[in-house]
């Protein structure tokens, strides 16, 4: 079981980098955000603006939850952790993209740009084989009376 959890954690980090969007749940309200997963640092980065719910949560206490539902990354689940504001200009420069720029009138130089660091603590994750694999498993289950194998699933601690 320990190997399965280790493998699932590795799979999570490998696929989290392919996720284009997550829902960040703060106080029961979920907002879409663009994640930038950094396996080596064990951090999922976010770019946001001063005054957003995410920025306010980063300066407060409590747990934040990310909800993954990305068929392209073949990753689903929820991950809890802490969210803090980061003062790391080099990391912000590294992550800056046209997607981030679209939200800020003055681009990277906008005074409202904020970098947030999400550090996962635990989660429940499904790593699937994607849409084709899903359809195959459904067809196979209907023909054999077995339940579908939806890929790797489990609870992980980071």
């Amino acid at each position: 079981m320990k190997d399965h959890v280790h493998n699932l954690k590795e799979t999570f980090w490998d696929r989290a980098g392919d996720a284009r969007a997550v829902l960040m749940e703060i106080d029961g309200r979920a907002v879409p955000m663009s994640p930038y997963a950094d396996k080596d640092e064990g951090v999922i980065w976010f770019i946001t603006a001063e005054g957003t719910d995410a920025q306010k949560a980063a300066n407060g206490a409590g747990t934040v939850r990310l909800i993954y539902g990305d068929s392209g990354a073949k990753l689903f689940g929820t991950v809890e952790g802490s969210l803090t504001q980061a003062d790391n200009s080099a990391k912000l420069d590294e992550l800056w993209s046209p997607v981030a720029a679209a939200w800020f009138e003055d681009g990277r130089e906008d005074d409202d740009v904020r970098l947030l660091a999400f550090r996962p603590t635990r989660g429940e994750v499904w790593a699937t084989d994607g849409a084709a694999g899903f359809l195959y498993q459904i067809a196979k289950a209907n023909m054999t009376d077995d339940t579908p194998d939806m890929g790797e699933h489990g609870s992980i601690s980071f």
Side-chain angles (χ1 to χ4, degrees):
M1 184 67 171
K2 188 174 185 178
D3 283 340
H4 170 73
V5 171
H6 173 75
N7 290 340
L8 186 56
K9 189 188 305 186
E10 286 293 314
T11 300
F12 168 81
W13 281 114
D14 290 342
R15 295 187 184 188
D18 295 331
R20 298 291 164 240
V22 298
L23 289 175
M24 181 182 288
E25 185 180 65
I26 304 163
D27 296 329
R29 183 172 174 256
V31 295
M33 301 284 291
S34 295
Y36 303 90
D38 188 331
K39 179 181 180 178
D40 295 335
E41 292 187 47
V43 172
I44 301 168
W45 299 98
F46 294 94
I47 298 171
T48 193
E50 176 71 28
T52 62
D53 289 342
Q55 186 269 332
K56 290 175 186 174
N59 288 322
T63 300
V64 172
R65 183 169 74 145
L66 302 183
I67 303 167
Y68 280 85
D70 194 307
S71 60
K74 303 176 187 174
L75 185 63
F76 302 86
T78 59
V79 179
E80 294 180 3
S82 64
L83 186 67
T84 56
Q85 189 165 303
D87 183 20
N88 187 333
S89 187
K91 179 55 81 174
L92 187 55
D93 288 341
E94 175 189 325
L95 298 175
W96 194 256
S97 70
V99 172
W103 295 98
F104 298 94
E105 185 175 324
D106 295 325
R108 170 67 180 86
E109 303 308 314
D110 196 302
D111 290 338
D112 286 339
V113 174
R114 298 293 179 268
L115 179 64
L116 307 181
F118 178 85
R119 289 176 176 79
T121 54
R122 64 181 178 194
E124 183 172 9
V125 174
W126 288 261
T128 70
D129 290 332
F134 173 79
L135 293 174
Y136 169 77
Q137 287 296 326
I138 295 301
K140 179 180 158 194
N142 281 316
M143 292 171 52
T144 64
D145 291 329
D146 287 337
T147 57
D149 177 359
M150 300 318 305
E152 293 181 79
H153 168 249
S155 296
I156 52 178
S157 295
F158 292 87

